[in-house]
């Protein structure tokens, strides 16, 4: 029998006040791109050194969980201890990315994707649980154009996300469901709002049909933003109000938390907009973060692949973690950007 109460406890610990998630689950291709940007070769040792730096940073007051990649959950720190144990010793909960990426959708009229990874997932989840994972992540992506996303893409991705979530709960792992409406394009915030609501509506319908307990799920969505390539400029306050209103329409109150992705926003924007949402007052769910780039980019630049830069990189990561922690309660102020390493 699935222990919903135990799943709910893990989910609530992940979105405990002042805390959020570090997404460090970049696939081999994505981490190579990040390392290319600082001129560092993506070797297994460099990836280990970089991630060990993040995991040993003094951030346990701000970071409740870390999403790992398959390589990392099996990897040892330089001193031979497992990286998972490095996190556990700090009281940080290890999680694991389990999807196998977004692949072209068969018979689609235009370029769209469906996320793969369901075959053998039950067995993989059982192994990840043995390795220490308490939660998992599966990401679906949706492109906005005048005609996309198609109802077909919304439907199949919702179905796959729900199948993944059900398998996670069966294995005692909290599923983070990540339907990411991509913000590339020239669309307005109103269109992003409509598409995000449709995607979430379909997702929660599929989760309900597949018997997933909402108390034991976390949602990792995009914020509602205008397309990055368009002309529309909107304030953080408007983004916050539209995003919260959209979620109040379609996300059940039983879901313990919404942990936003940063999705290419600047570090400061990702923090300021989360802060603006939390300033709107109490919501049915916690509003937190599960940032990849917006927590790591300053640290990556400070590190540059040099052991001598580890303290500066940890300071940069600690600084962003602290500011996002403040944004959990609406206590972030732009002046705080100056108060530490950047
Ligand atoms: P970003 O915050 O960089 O969008 O990454 C979060 C994530 O885990 C995407 O799947």
């Amino acid at each position: 029998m699935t222990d919903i109460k135990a799943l709910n406890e893990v989910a609530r610990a992940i979105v405990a006040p002042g805390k959020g998630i570090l997404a460090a689950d970049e696939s081999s291709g994505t981490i190579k791109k990040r390392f290319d940007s600082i001129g560092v070769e993506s070797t297994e040792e460099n990836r280990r050194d970089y991630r060990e730096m993040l995991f040993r940073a003094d951030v346990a007051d701000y970071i409740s969980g870390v999403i790992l990649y398959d390589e990392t959950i099996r990897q040892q720190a330089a001193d031979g201890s497992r990286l998972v144990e490095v996190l556990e010793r700090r009281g940080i909960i290890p999680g694991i990315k389990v999807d196998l990426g977004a692949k072209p959708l068969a018979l689609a009229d235009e370029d769209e994707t469906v996320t793969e990874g369901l075959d053998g997932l039950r067995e993989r989840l059982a192994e990840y649980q043995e390795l220490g994972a308490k939660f998992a992540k599966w990401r679906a992506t949706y492109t906005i154009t005048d005609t996309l996303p198609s109802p077909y893409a919304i439907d199949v991705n919702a179905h796959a996300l729900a199948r993944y979530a059900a398998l996670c709960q069966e294995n005692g792992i909290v599923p983070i469901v990540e339907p990411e409406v991509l913000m590339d394009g020239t669309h307005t915030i109103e269109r992003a709002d409509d598409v995000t609501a449709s995607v979430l509506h379909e997702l929660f319908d599929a989760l309900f049909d597949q018997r997933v307990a909402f108390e034991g799920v976390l949602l990792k969505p995009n914020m509602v933003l205008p397309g990055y390539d368009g002309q529309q400029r909107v304030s953080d306050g408007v983004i916050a109000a539209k995003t919260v209103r959209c979620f109040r329409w379609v996300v059940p109150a039983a879901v313990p938390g919404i942990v936003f992705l940063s999705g290419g926003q600047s570090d400061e924007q990702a923090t300021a907009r989360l802060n603006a949402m939390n300033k709107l007052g109490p919501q049915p769910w916690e509003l937190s973060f599960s940032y990849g780039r917006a927590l790591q980019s300053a640290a990556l630049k400070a590190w540059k692949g040099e052991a001598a830069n580890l303290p500066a990189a940890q300071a940069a990561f600690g600084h962003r973690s602290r500011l996002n922690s403040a944004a959990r309660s609406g206590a972030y102020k732009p002046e705080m950007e100056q108060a530490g390493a950047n």
Side-chain angles (χ1 to χ4, degrees):
M1 268 299 282
T2 303
D3 186 346
I4 309 293
K5 192 162 165 285
L7 291 171
N8 178 254
E9 275 167 21
V10 172
R12 284 191 296 119
I14 292 171
V15 293
K19 293 189 182 180
I21 299 172
L22 165 67
D25 60 322
E26 298 83 5
S27 62
S28 308
T30 304
I31 195 76
K32 180 175 181 317
K33 262 194 267 167
R34 305 274 186 269
F35 279 20
D36 283 349
S37 75
I38 53 164
V40 172
E41 200 189 339
S42 182
T43 62
E44 187 176 341
E45 195 179 341
N46 283 342
R47 292 191 292 272
R48 192 276 311 276
D49 288 351
Y50 172 66
R51 287 171 169 151
E52 183 173 352
M53 174 278 290
L54 295 173
F55 302 170
R56 289 192 187 278
D58 187 14
V59 293
D61 287 346
Y62 320 119
I63 301 293
S64 53
V66 175
I67 315 175
L68 306 168
Y69 188 56
D70 181 78
E71 174 183 271
T72 324
I73 201 170
R74 304 170 191 281
Q75 223 166 13
Q76 289 177 353
D79 68 3
S81 53
R82 294 181 54 225
L83 285 176
V84 168
E85 288 162 11
V86 171
L87 293 173
E88 287 170 345
R89 278 202 294 271
R90 290 171 159 66
I92 296 177
I93 305 171
I96 180 75
K97 168 201 184 78
V98 300
D99 69 72
L100 300 179
K103 303 288 161 57
L105 178 59
L107 304 182
D109 294 327
E110 300 178 70
D111 284 349
E112 289 197 279
T113 61
V114 62
T115 299
E116 292 189 348
L118 290 171
D119 288 353
L121 182 57
R122 175 177 273 134
E123 293 73 25
R124 289 167 57 221
L125 286 167
E127 189 197 4
Y128 285 138
Q129 208 212 24
E130 289 282 307
L131 291 169
K134 299 265 185 299
F135 68 99
K137 179 190 110 172
W138 177 290
R139 173 174 178 253
T141 58
Y142 310 80
T143 302
I144 299 186
T145 67
D146 288 345
T147 50
L148 302 181
S150 66
Y152 171 34
I154 293 176
D155 180 51
V156 292
N157 277 296
H159 189 265
L161 276 160
R163 283 202 55 206
Y164 139 81
L167 284 162
C168 284
Q169 290 198 338
E170 182 190 79
N171 278 280
I173 289 179
V174 172
I176 296 188
V177 288
E178 180 178 7
E180 177 174 2
V181 178
L182 298 167
M183 290 299 138
D184 308 286
T186 56
H187 54 271
T188 61
I189 191 170
E190 289 76 19
R191 174 113 175 96
D193 191 4
D194 285 348
V195 170
T196 302
S198 301
V199 162
L200 293 175
H201 184 170
E202 197 78 16
L203 170 60
F204 281 98
D205 196 32
L207 291 168
F208 182 90
D209 286 347
Q210 297 190 39
R211 308 181 175 186
V212 174
F214 294 151
E215 293 88 342
V217 165
L218 292 171
L219 174 67
K220 174 163 176 168
N222 51 285
M223 296 182 196
V224 174
L225 305 171
Y228 291 150
D229 312 314
Q231 300 302 317
Q232 195 183 25
R233 295 285 171 269
V234 290
S235 67
D236 293 346
V238 168
I239 288 167
K242 279 209 183 296
T243 302
V244 168
R245 179 175 179 276
C246 177
F247 291 120
R248 289 184 69 98
W249 269 62
V250 285
V251 182
V255 172
I258 297 177
V259 294
F260 289 95
L261 58 94
S262 59
Q265 302 176 71
S266 72
D267 298 357
E268 293 80 5
Q269 284 171 334
T271 308
R273 291 164 179 174
L274 177 65
N275 189 65
M277 281 188 257
N278 279 309
K279 274 181 119 161
L280 295 173
Q283 304 297 339
W285 357 256
E286 298 292 326
L287 292 176
S288 184
F289 57 91
S290 175
Y291 292 160
R293 283 162 285 181
L295 275 172
Q296 291 187 51
S297 58
L300 189 68
K301 281 191 209 109
W303 176 56
K304 298 190 199 82
E306 305 280 341
N309 295 333
L310 289 175
Q314 287 180 327
F317 172 48
H319 183 57
R320 287 267 44 102
S321 301
R322 202 159 43 246
L323 298 186
N324 284 304
S325 169
R328 287 287 326 270
S329 60
Y332 164 79
K333 294 195 176 51
E335 305 87 86
M336 294 160 74
E337 294 288 346
Q338 311 310 323
N342 218 332

